[in-house]
Amino acid sequence: MPVPLPSIRLARIACAAAVAAGLLAPGAAAQAQGRDAGGRAAAVPAPAAASAPAAPAAVKAVPRTVLALVDLREEQTIRLSRIHTSAELPLNHLGLSVVYWNVADGLPDLSRYPDLRGVVTWFAGEPFADVGAYVGWVARAMDSGVRVAVLGQPGIRLETGGRPVPLTLVNRFFARFGLRDDDGYSDLTYKSKPAAADAMIGFERPLTGALPGYPLFRKIDERFASHLVMRRGDDPATDSHLVVTGPTGGLVTDGYGRYYDAEYNRRQWILDPFAFFREAFTTDDLPKPDVTTLSGRRLYFSQIDGDGWRNVTEVAPYSAKRVLSADMVRIAAIEPFPDLPVSVAPIVGDLDPTWSGTPDSLAAAKALFALPQVEPSSHTWTHPFQWAFFKDYNRAKEAPFLERDGTPRAAKGEDHAAETAGEVSDIGRYALPRAYLQQPFDLDQEIGGALAYFTRLAPAGKRAVLVQWSGDTSPFEDALAAVRKAGGVNINGGDARFDADFPSVIGLPPIGLPVGAERQIYAAGSNENTYTDLWTNRFYGYQNLVHTIRNAGSPLRLKPVNIYYHMYSGQKAASLSALVKNLTAARAMELAPVAASTYARIAEGFYGTRFEPLGTAGERRWRVRGRGALNTLRFDHAAFTAVDFARSAGVLGQRHTQGSLYVALDPAVAEPVVALAATERGDIDPPAPVPYLIDGRWAFSGLSLDGGGFSVTADGYGDGAMVWHVPQPGRYAVTVERDGEAVWSGTATADADGRLALTVPVAGIPSGAVRPLRLRLRPADGAAG
């Protein structure tokens, strides 16, 4: 009888309850309804997962929320704000969840944020009518232990309307960062040069060329570290401390954090944002919920938007047979890769014969959904291009477009309406609000109705739960709520690029975007549109995805591998070749492939995860709550740190990569406990008294001791390559079961260090590991004692 390892997861929250719990920023009634004072989507955080168990009142979770103050009078939307586009990704990587507050609505009540770690600002102007009130607010925040990071303009030199602020009040603010403004400004910087600049400076771009003007900041508190000191000529008396961190947070002078190239519309970091925020918010003691890794390997997922489904391929010899692009993608890029899951999201309007579907387009969907590696998903019913158009919908708004929809014209003959539906027809212009306008827009039909439609098309046991946003991928709050109401998850948007054309981590978006009380989950990679000038030329361009994959994986693992494209990639020979190159490259990588909906759930879990410290201060032991589908934690600067299994529960495994320790949690344990201890060597797998997972291609759960060996449930795609660490070397018998019957058996040998590598082939196992298997490993020939 298996023994568990010793000592040894969304309903809408009412506004009032969410405010009381600190999940919504307090504000005007309009804000509580998901709007700011100007009627725009309110800058509020998404609710935590409703299923998360309530923490005991006596135990305070490790704070991991950062409150971003934005001025939506200036930046208009959170989606395009400086903090969201540039700072939130590094903050997410450090384990921090960002919520937003619009200072146009006044200053927030910090008591509404029970797990607040810090505040971040990045103003371009002077947003406060009463600077004194803001300076006092910052002081009280710091006095309560909340750290503050200031980038760009501090917002305290002028009041709204241009009224000057007394220097004594200005310096009261700067003193909190160990600085004093000497009321001077160096506007001619040709004689200025760094007197001191540490490794935090020159991250993506060195300080070269004409430098921005800067204020003269003198350091008055030696508790603060100066990362950049500028000097005019050779006079130390002119030294100005432009980047500092210390016990209350950090400050980066405007122009010295990020560089903007107006000619090429490119942004690059001068400052190392990971190092700056690490110091400003002291994140080394914080376990990091990680969305990039599963079973010790970099996570992989793929999704296809249905645009171009009915296009006739130009690829020989299939073009002569008038094969649809959707079928071409299946033939060339899905069927040959059964080990790489993909979520396929058609548009109902392209399939349903009462709209613009044909027998061929419908048959293409059924053939795709029948493949074991394909997850049925939805690209909506009518493919909205401009989601904001439907926020306050009435049919009269669409009247001017009713003669210009994507319905096939008789003149098209048998072309299956090539390039009429989806983004192919109006990409970058969006001449229509949606592809199909025959009937009035119905949000419930668009979201829940489409998911139900595709579930009916799929084989029994498969359910469509993922909505892949269409058009401008900018859903409004009610659209996101409709996904949740239908029991689904969402993805798309973000346009992640990190390559020669986008040479900065700024090209990588954060995990998601708060939209009112909901949250949009971004894709982890960009689709082929950004590589092909919005599908107008360079149809081979998507082959350059490999550069983003590489740069987003090393030296820091910032994103999973995501191959995201449209069905019109099956139309051109060049685009299809580029796609196959990407899939071939992915197949050669060490990955843990999952369905795209699984990634979306993991990403949602990032925001709900809470850590309760156990034991005394500095003991490095936490209970993990509310993580949902997220099953990896990361600890940075941890080459000589390992899991202490004797004081942990619900831990599957551990692996050191890039100087970090990745800890795999057991999905079968709702609230695992993770404890850390020092280990003497960083060049070998840490010893442990129990077996643990080092890495594997599959997902694992329910790890149990089983005599002198262990058993574990596994599921995944492709052959099950895996590496375990076991307490004793020797030969092990391996049995793989499904429903209690053995489907494969073999042996594997653990080396002298206890490292046991094996691969379970799926050939001959019905459904492979897509349906869960139970693995049993037992010592043979006296192994493990």
Side-chain angles (χ1 to χ4, degrees), residues 294-298 590-593 655 693-700 720-724:
L294 181 69
S295 299
R297 292 185 171 201
R298 192 173 177 190
E590 185 188 82
L591 301 171
R655 187 184 191 185
L693 177 70
I694 298 173
D695 73 86
R697 182 179 178 88
W698 292 346
F700 301 89
M722 63 192 77
V723 181
W724 295 84

Side-chain angles (χ1 to χ4, degrees), residues 53-70:
V59 180
K60 185 177 181 180
V62 179
R64 53 177 296 258
T65 296
V66 169
L67 174 62
L69 302 185
V70 293

Side-chain angles (χ1 to χ4, degrees), residues 166-219:
L167 188 59
T168 54
L169 181 56
V170 170
N171 273 326
R172 193 181 307 166
F173 177 85
F174 288 129
R176 288 283 178 164
F177 300 92
L179 301 173
R180 178 178 177 84
D181 185 351
D182 281 337
D183 199 21
Y185 192 84
S186 182
D187 51 357
L188 299 176
T189 60
Y190 65 95
K191 290 186 178 181
S192 297
K193 58 184 179 182
D198 64 14
M200 197 179 286
I201 307 302
F203 179 64
E204 293 176 336
R205 181 181 176 86
L207 282 172
T208 58
L211 300 176
Y214 56 86
L216 301 181
F217 284 138
R218 176 162 49 92
K219 189 163 76 170

Side-chain angles (χ1 to χ4, degrees), residues 523-544:
S526 177
N527 60 52
E528 72 276 65
N529 286 338
T530 68
Y531 294 87
T532 59
D533 297 335
L534 299 178
W535 199 247
T536 59
N537 59 56
R538 300 192 304 170
F539 297 109
Y540 57 85
Y542 193 44
Q543 65 188 3
N544 291 313

Side-chain angles (χ1 to χ4, degrees), residues 456-614:
R456 291 193 297 271
L457 282 186
K462 285 190 175 184
R463 177 172 171 245
V465 297
L466 181 67
V467 175
Q468 300 173 198
W469 297 113
S470 61
D472 61 5
T473 63
S474 299
F476 48 92
E477 183 182 5
D478 285 349
L480 285 155
V483 177
R484 184 168 42 74
K485 176 183 175 182
V489 289
N490 79 94
I491 201 168
N492 280 358
D495 291 332
R497 292 282 300 269
F498 190 3
D499 50 36
D501 290 331
F502 297 82
S504 174
V505 295
I506 293 171
L508 300 177
I511 297 170
L513 169 73
V515 183
E518 304 294 331
R519 193 176 298 276
Q520 176 181 353
I521 300 301
Y522 285 141
S526 177
N527 60 52
E528 72 276 65
N529 286 338
T530 68
Y531 294 87
T532 59
D533 297 335
L534 299 178
W535 199 247
T536 59
N537 59 56
R538 300 192 304 170
F539 297 109
Y540 57 85
Y542 193 44
Q543 65 188 3
N544 291 313
L545 171 67
V546 294
H547 302 297
T548 292
I549 291 174
R550 182 185 306 114
N551 293 334
S554 180
L556 296 176
R557 187 177 292 175
L558 301 174
K559 288 290 178 183
V561 175
N562 180 201
I563 297 182
Y564 164 34
Y565 56 103
H566 297 80
M567 277 303 181
Y568 48 69
S569 272
Q571 181 179 351
K572 308 285 185 181
S575 59
L576 189 62
S577 175
L579 172 59
V580 171
K581 285 182 178 180
N582 289 332
L583 293 166
T584 303
R587 172 177 272 172
M589 299 176 189
E590 185 188 82
L591 301 171
V594 300
S597 66
T598 299
Y599 172 75
R601 290 192 178 98
I602 291 171
E604 288 180 343
F606 172 87
Y607 298 100
T609 302
R610 297 291 181 266
F611 302 104
E612 293 179 358
L614 302 176

Side-chain angles (χ1 to χ4, degrees), residues 126 131-132 135 155-159 162-170:
E126 313 294 338
V131 167
V135 172
I156 48 88
R157 295 188 181 277
L158 296 173
E159 292 185 334
R163 294 185 300 274
V165 177
L167 188 59
T168 54
L169 181 56
V170 170

Side-chain angles (χ1 to χ4, degrees), residues 10-158:
L10 267 218
R12 184 172 183 129
I13 298 176
C15 287
V19 169
L23 300 175
L24 290 182
Q31 184 106 351
Q33 296 301 319
R35 313 220 185 292
D36 64 21
R40 298 176 291 268
V44 295
S51 60
V59 180
K60 185 177 181 180
V62 179
R64 53 177 296 258
T65 296
V66 169
L67 174 62
L69 302 185
V70 293
D71 184 1
L72 295 186
R73 293 164 300 191
E74 179 242 328
E75 295 196 281
Q76 301 301 312
T77 66
I78 295 170
R79 187 185 297 270
L80 300 177
S81 68
R82 287 172 288 275
I83 293 175
H84 182 70
T85 58
S86 297
E88 191 169 350
L89 170 78
L91 290 167
N92 287 170
H93 180 73
L94 293 170
L96 301 172
S97 176
V98 180
V99 299
Y100 289 82
W101 178 266
N102 181 11
V103 297
D105 295 328
L107 295 171
D109 178 359
L110 295 185
S111 68
R112 302 289 185 172
Y113 303 91
D115 70 338
L116 189 63
R117 191 179 197 90
V119 173
V120 62
T121 71
W122 196 335
F123 300 126
E126 313 294 338
F128 299 108
D130 187 347
V131 167
Y134 174 63
V135 172
W137 182 91
V138 169
R140 291 190 297 275
M142 290 180 170
D143 290 344
S144 68
V146 174
R147 299 168 74 92
V148 179
V150 174
L151 298 89
Q153 294 291 346
I156 48 88
R157 295 188 181 277
L158 296 173

